[in-house]
Amino acid sequence: MKTIPDKCMDSNVVSSFCGCMEDVESVDVAVQGFCARAESGKDKNTTGDDLAELKKALIDLEEPE
């Protein structure tokens, strides 16, 4: 099962990634939490590096086809 749609995988900016993932039907809980922190503005340390780590973790969770 894909955890990140291809159209969102290319987003390397936190705001565009989270905006893309809003349209996905079943979003991983980690993505929901990440985007909630980033969009709240409370966590000013949410960076592109954090996004890259999140993507790597989600890819590791994917089931092989």
Side-chain angles (χ1 to χ4, degrees):
M1 181 177 103
K2 282 206 70 79
T3 54
I4 305 173
D6 291 336
K7 66 179 183 173
C8 299
M9 184 58 87
D10 293 334
S11 298
N12 292 320
V13 177
V14 173
S15 59
S16 63
F17 175 79
C18 290
C20 181
M21 291 300 286
E22 285 179 353
D23 297 332
V24 176
E25 287 181 21
S26 57
V27 176
D28 189 88
V29 176
V31 173
Q32 290 174 340
F34 176 83
C35 290
R37 280 193 321 274
E39 291 170 357
S40 72
K42 292 179 182 176
D43 187 356
K44 304 239 185 268
N45 295 322
T46 305
T47 65
D49 290 338
D50 298 323
L51 176 58
E53 287 182 33
L54 175 65
K55 285 182 184 180
K56 286 179 190 174
L58 291 172
I59 290 168
D60 288 345
L61 291 175
E62 290 181 2
E63 296 175 6
E65 294 178 15

